[in-house]
Amino acid sequence: MKVNMPKTEILDIFTPDDGKIETVGQVLRNGGTAVFPTETVYGLGANALDAAAVRKIFAAKGRPADNPLIVHIAEKESLSEITASSDERAALLADAFWPGPLTIILPKAEQIPLVVTAGLSSVAVRCPSDPIANAILRAAGVPIAAPSANHSGSPSPTAAQHCIDDMTGRVDVIVRSHPCQFGVESTVVSLLGARPVLLRPGAVTPEALRKYLPDLIISEAVEKALDESEKALSPGLKYKHYAPKAEITILRGNLPAFIEYVDTHSDETTFVLCFEDDDLPLANKVTYGKSGDPQSQAKRLFAAFRELDAKGARTVFARSPGNQGVGLAVKNRLLRAAGFREIVL
Ligand code: TXA
Ligand code: MG
């Protein structure tokens, strides 16, 4: 039985001066939930200062209560209201990368309810650059907690239709707007320890971060599966995210080696996930971006996972992206979707 499930209003908004932005701001300010685009993926937002509103996010997504949310702010100056102490490194990062696809983890301010941080004393903060997101945050006038607007366990939504498919009947408002600029979730950096740690790669690359954080450590979890004791340190890593229904295996090697492997290991039900410019005369094929162009791969990857699901793919062989620049984020999401199954050809 569904109890108190909202009737979802879908609002078409394509410019930040649209009058309907005020409606979305009001819904959020008054304790409702709204799905809106950001430059990374679509987010499912609620007032971060209102514990009851934030609980609606967990219910709508089917998200475990011990996985903390990111708090979104309209301007970088608001960082000090969300976090407990000032940190020189955070100020440097905010000046360099905000507004933009970077999330910073710091000790939390008293006013942030524990439901947002899943009981942790730290909080993740981000100031998005998408003009619609920014206008909605301004209209709301409060910090907005927002995870990706997918149902827990399905790929993050990078187009409005993905949110309509996952969230209709579960949130108050869905803003139907443009596809997301980057297509992978924000880069997450923890500043809790003496040395900064990259927890999740994104469009802000390790190379770019190291200009400001020369001693940045990349969490081992970015490129390898963690054992149970290691997982306990990073709440978001416990869960199998970005998971299409198909069993994906990444094949690392050049195109001829890929073709040879697929030829000898597949039947008519097997799919390949490859690049647009790969010369592969196969019917069961879904593409994600161009080879050697990680930005285009990032933009397409999650939509490609949804296409594989829609086609009923059960076994998938995927071409491997590189792991430099934004490629590290693409590789990380693909590895997680594949349950870290990778074959070096
Ligand atoms: O690009 C993005 O970041 C998108 C858009 C909507 O802003 N949001 C997003 O949220 O990806 P979500 O909830 O899907 O991912 C947030 C990640 C999770 O892996 C979570 O565990 C981690 O950030 N996280 C949040 N707060 C944390 C904290 N205090 N300590 C460690 N990890 C944290
Ligand atoms: Mg997510």
Side-chain angles (χ1 to χ4, degrees):
M1 188 178 64
K2 278 192 179 178
V3 186
N4 290 333
M5 283 319 233
K7 185 177 176 310
T8 303
E9 190 175 3
I10 296 179
L11 298 176
D12 288 306
I13 302 180
F14 290 91
T15 57
D17 58 359
D18 190 310
K20 296 192 284 299
I21 296 260
E22 187 43 46
T23 312
V24 184
Q26 230 168 53
V27 166
L28 289 167
R29 207 164 44 244
N30 296 336
T33 50
V35 167
F36 57 88
T38 83
E39 70 278 20
T40 56
V41 300
Y42 272 72
L44 192 187
N47 180 352
L49 305 180
D50 177 344
V54 172
R55 272 185 219 108
K56 294 180 188 172
I57 296 178
F58 287 90
K61 272 186 72 94
R63 181 176 175 113
D66 61 352
N67 194 3
L69 307 177
I70 296 173
V71 175
H72 295 67
I73 52 179
E75 45 206 33
K76 55 186 170 204
E77 288 72 25
S78 306
L79 177 64
S80 59
E81 295 156 32
I82 312 299
T83 57
S85 50
S86 62
D87 183 304
E88 245 170 62
R89 300 167 301 176
L92 274 176
L93 292 181
D95 279 340
F97 299 109
W98 281 359
L102 176 70
T103 294
I104 305 174
I105 298 179
L106 287 164
K108 84 171 190 70
E110 190 76 36
Q111 67 159 343
I112 302 297
L114 286 168
V115 60
V116 172
T117 65
L120 298 175
S121 56
S122 60
V123 63
V125 191
R126 158 166 137 74
C127 177
S129 60
D130 182 278
I132 307 279
N134 186 268
I136 288 171
L137 292 172
R138 280 178 201 286
V142 289
I144 298 295
S148 49
N150 54 298
H151 201 265
S152 241
S154 80
S156 288
T158 53
Q161 189 59 47
H162 302 158
C163 306
I164 293 169
D165 292 344
D166 280 18
M167 286 298 153
T168 302
R170 297 180 161 272
V171 295
D172 296 307
V173 170
I174 295 176
V175 174
R176 179 158 52 195
S177 192
H178 51 71
C180 300
Q181 182 190 349
F182 294 114
V184 286
E185 308 89 339
S186 60
T187 303
V188 178
V189 173
S190 169
L191 296 181
L192 296 177
R195 285 185 70 179
V197 184
L198 177 81
L199 293 178
R200 181 174 74 180
V204 175
T205 63
E207 295 85 341
L209 287 167
R210 286 211 167 100
K211 280 191 211 153
Y212 304 90
L213 304 171
D215 56 346
L216 179 74
I217 302 168
I218 299 182
S219 163
E220 283 196 19
V222 168
E223 289 196 281
K224 83 173 186 54
L226 294 185
D227 67 31
E228 291 311 310
S229 63
E230 290 168 317
K231 278 184 195 169
L233 297 172
S234 293
L237 301 176
K238 281 189 299 218
Y239 304 102
K240 189 184 174 210
H241 270 186
Y242 325 118
K245 294 185 184 77
E247 184 180 284
I248 298 181
T249 304
I250 304 170
L251 304 180
R252 178 144 53 102
N254 59 25
L255 185 60
F258 181 88
I259 292 171
E260 192 186 315
Y261 188 96
V262 171
D263 271 350
T264 49
H265 291 82
S266 61
D267 55 38
E268 56 286 356
T269 65
T270 307
F271 275 73
V272 300
L273 176 60
C274 62
F275 304 120
E276 287 156 24
D277 49 323
D278 285 342
D279 189 13
L280 278 175
L282 296 169
N284 290 350
K285 164 167 103 169
V286 169
T287 61
Y288 75 109
K290 296 195 190 72
S291 62
D293 177 0
Q295 308 254 11
S296 72
Q297 295 161 8
K299 215 167 167 155
R300 269 282 305 158
L301 187 67
F302 288 136
F305 288 160
R306 284 178 186 256
E307 276 173 40
L308 287 167
D309 277 349
K311 292 182 171 176
R314 282 285 162 266
T315 306
V316 176
F317 292 121
R319 288 269 276 141
S320 180
N323 64 357
Q324 296 304 299
V326 183
L328 185 64
V330 179
K331 186 65 186 276
N332 167 262
R333 304 315 190 269
L334 188 54
L335 275 168
R336 302 194 72 188
F340 290 89
R341 252 185 321 275
E342 181 174 37
I343 294 173
V344 181
L345 299 171

